[in-house]
Each structure stands twice: as structure tokens, then as C-alpha cells.
Amino acid sequence: MNKPSIGASFVAGSLSGTCSTLLFQPLDLVKTRLQIGARTTAFPTNHGIVGTASNVVRHENVSALWRGLTPSLSRCVPGVGMYFTSLTTLQHLCLGDRQPTALEAGALGASARAWSTTALLPFTVVKTRYESGRYQYGSVRQALSSMARVEGLRGLYSGLWVTIARDMPFSGLYYMFYSQFKEKLQKSAFLYDRPELKGPATFGCGLISGVLACLMTQPADVVKTQVQTTTSSRSTWSAAVYIFQTRGAAGFFAGMTPRVVRRSLMAAMAWTIYEKIIRIVSL
């Protein structure tokens, strides 16, 4: 496959991000509710995915499962496009046409994620607050305006370091596993000498990579949610201490199942769609 242009990488990445976000947003909402342990009368939280989703439907409505979809799209659509564009560009500049080693893939994936995470963090904060059920913003624009007015940059960029500590390792680990799994599969007896994997094989590599990367970055995701769903000036450390004191060590793995399911499927779908689009436009 020829190196895709910057424009093609961005468009393909954005389209893949749109599809996966629309489909898996309910799992993100359930994950957030489980992580904050919502116990108010309006938004009770039972243990488990089914119980939490049922309560959302019962006390709100079915469409509430997609609460936070607009900020999710505002973040994921350009964010995934930026990530694939950065990854493609960095890999071409650093390695040319050579395939990365495991460590090189990890460094490329982490580096490509860093700037999109930072640039789009305000949308991440709004998304998390929408999903929590604790905030009643009228729109994404109104939410950003309110946060800027009341909390300033501290609010808009709350949880920056813990979000980076989650996203960079996730993307680095994901791309490291993904590139190595693909290389091994392409060299296997079953697919020997095939230059490109078919969609199901690509999806399978992405799915396994997503599960492994999610498991290794779960605690940072829980701390990030805790920091971003409070208007008080809670540091990453104080949020981590609060989680441990109130929920024990198990609290750092709250919402793990919906996150692993959503993030691994989302990443697998994004890569499968991205590579399919790139193959089409490169013909």
C-alpha cells in the first residue's frame, strides 16, 4: 500500500471515528456512570452494565443512552482524523517505507495521540460531564462557555495530565500490539505472502490489541473521570486517594467491562474502516 496523503488519512480517520462513536456511545455512558458511582435519586447506578443501562432507560429514556453523543463526535471525529494523520506522517518521516519494530510502533502511537488529546481535551471534559448525569448543559457551546466563565482554563483542561497518562500509553500499546499481530499473521502459513489482510483479520488484530491496551490503562481512566466530573479543584493525586478511600483498590477498575468492550470494538472498527478506505483511495 502506498503512503496515503495527509488529506486521505484525515478523512478516512474521521469517517472511521464517526461510525464507531455513533455505535458505541451507550457503552461509554454506562462506563462513566459506573466509575462515578452515581447514587442520586434521579440517576441511580446498579452494579453491572445491564443494571446501569436499565436504570438509565427507566429513569430517563432510551435516547439518554446516547447522552454526550455531540461532544463525543466533536472530540472523536477530528481526533481520530488527527491521530491517523499524525501516525502516518510520523511513521513516514521516521521510518520511510520500513515497518516499525515493537518499540518503534509504541513510540509512534503514543506520540501521534499526544497533541490530539491536548487540543481536544475541553470536548472530553464536556462529554464526561454530559454522561455523568450531574450536569444539565443545554449544548456543547453553552457548556464550554459556562466552564470557561465559571472555572476558567482549569475547568476546560481539568484532568489534562491523567488523560495524557491514559491516552498516550493506550495508543502506544495498541499500535505496538496491532502492528506486531498483523506482521505475525501476514507471515503465518495461513496468510503467507499476502500483502494485505482481509477485513475480518484486521478486525481481529484490532480487537485483541484493544483489550490488552484497555486492561493496562484502566486505572488512569477511572481517575480521569473522577477529576473531570467535579467542579472543585481536585488534583490527580487527590482523586486517586478519594477513589481508594471510598471504593478500595477495586475502585480503580470500575467500569472496566463496558470500557474494554467499547474501546476495543471501537478501535478495531476504526482501524478496519480506515485501512479499507485507504486501500480504496490508493487504487
Side-chain angles (χ1 to χ4, degrees):
M1 185 190 299
N2 296 326
K3 174 187 174 292
S5 67
I6 291 176
S9 294
F10 185 83
V11 171
S14 296
L15 287 173
S16 67
T18 301
C19 296
S20 53
T21 300
L22 288 170
L23 188 59
F24 299 118
Q25 176 61 23
L27 284 170
D28 201 30
L29 180 135
V30 170
K31 178 215 71 170
T32 299
R33 297 287 176 93
L34 287 170
Q35 288 180 347
I36 64 175
R39 299 182 185 279
T40 63
T41 302
F43 305 108
T45 300
N46 285 349
H47 294 295
I49 299 176
V50 175
T52 302
S54 297
N55 271 328
V56 171
V57 173
R58 185 181 305 114
H59 294 277
E60 301 169 63
N61 50 57
V62 174
S63 64
L65 289 170
W66 275 266
R67 185 177 175 84
L69 178 61
T70 302
S72 284
L73 289 171
S74 300
R75 177 185 67 114
C76 288
V77 174
V80 177
M82 291 163 67
Y83 169 72
F84 279 117
T85 301
S86 300
L87 184 62
T88 301
T89 303
L90 284 172
Q91 185 161 324
H92 179 71
L93 290 174
C94 297
L95 305 178
D97 294 327
R98 180 171 66 83
Q99 290 300 306
T101 64
L103 289 178
E104 288 170 342
L108 287 169
S111 300
R113 179 64 67 186
W115 76 290
S116 61
T117 293
T118 303
L120 297 169
L121 187 68
F123 293 101
T124 302
V125 178
V126 172
K127 177 193 77 72
T128 304
R129 291 188 176 185
Y130 261 98
E131 292 169 351
S132 72
R134 295 176 175 176
Y135 299 83
Q136 301 301 316
Y137 297 125
S139 65
V140 174
R141 181 177 178 180
Q142 188 263 326
L144 292 171
S145 176
S146 175
M147 288 165 56
R149 184 177 64 257
V150 177
E151 302 169 60
L153 285 176
R154 181 186 291 273
L156 290 170
Y157 283 88
S158 62
L160 172 62
W161 298 114
V162 73
T163 305
I164 289 175
R166 178 199 66 169
D167 286 359
M168 286 185 66
F170 176 88
S171 294
L173 289 165
Y174 183 90
Y175 191 51
M176 179 181 73
F177 290 134
Y178 180 75
S179 61
Q180 296 306 300
F181 287 149
K182 278 190 65 179
E183 183 179 352
K184 299 292 184 186
L185 195 55
Q186 286 173 320
K187 291 179 178 179
S188 68
F190 180 63
L191 294 172
Y192 187 71
D193 277 346
R194 291 189 183 181
E196 301 294 342
L197 297 182
K198 298 295 184 181
T202 300
F203 190 87
C205 290
L207 189 64
I208 298 170
S209 302
V211 170
L212 294 174
C214 276
L215 292 174
M216 294 181 183
T217 57
Q218 176 64 20
D221 186 66
V222 179
V223 175
K224 177 203 78 75
T225 299
Q226 195 63 234
V227 171
Q228 292 178 343
T229 54
T230 178
T231 55
S232 61
S233 300
R234 175 172 285 173
S235 67
T236 298
W237 175 250
S238 65
V241 170
Y242 173 80
I243 293 167
F244 184 75
Q245 289 177 338
T246 57
R247 308 181 77 174
F252 292 102
F253 295 91
M256 183 172 71
T257 301
R259 178 173 182 255
V260 168
V261 172
R262 170 189 169 271
R263 197 75 193 265
S264 57
L265 286 173
M266 194 170 175
M269 177 178 286
W271 272 95
T272 303
I273 294 174
Y274 172 79
E275 294 196 355
K276 180 67 174 178
I277 293 173
I278 290 299
R279 268 198 292 273
I280 292 173
V281 301
S282 298
L283 292 177

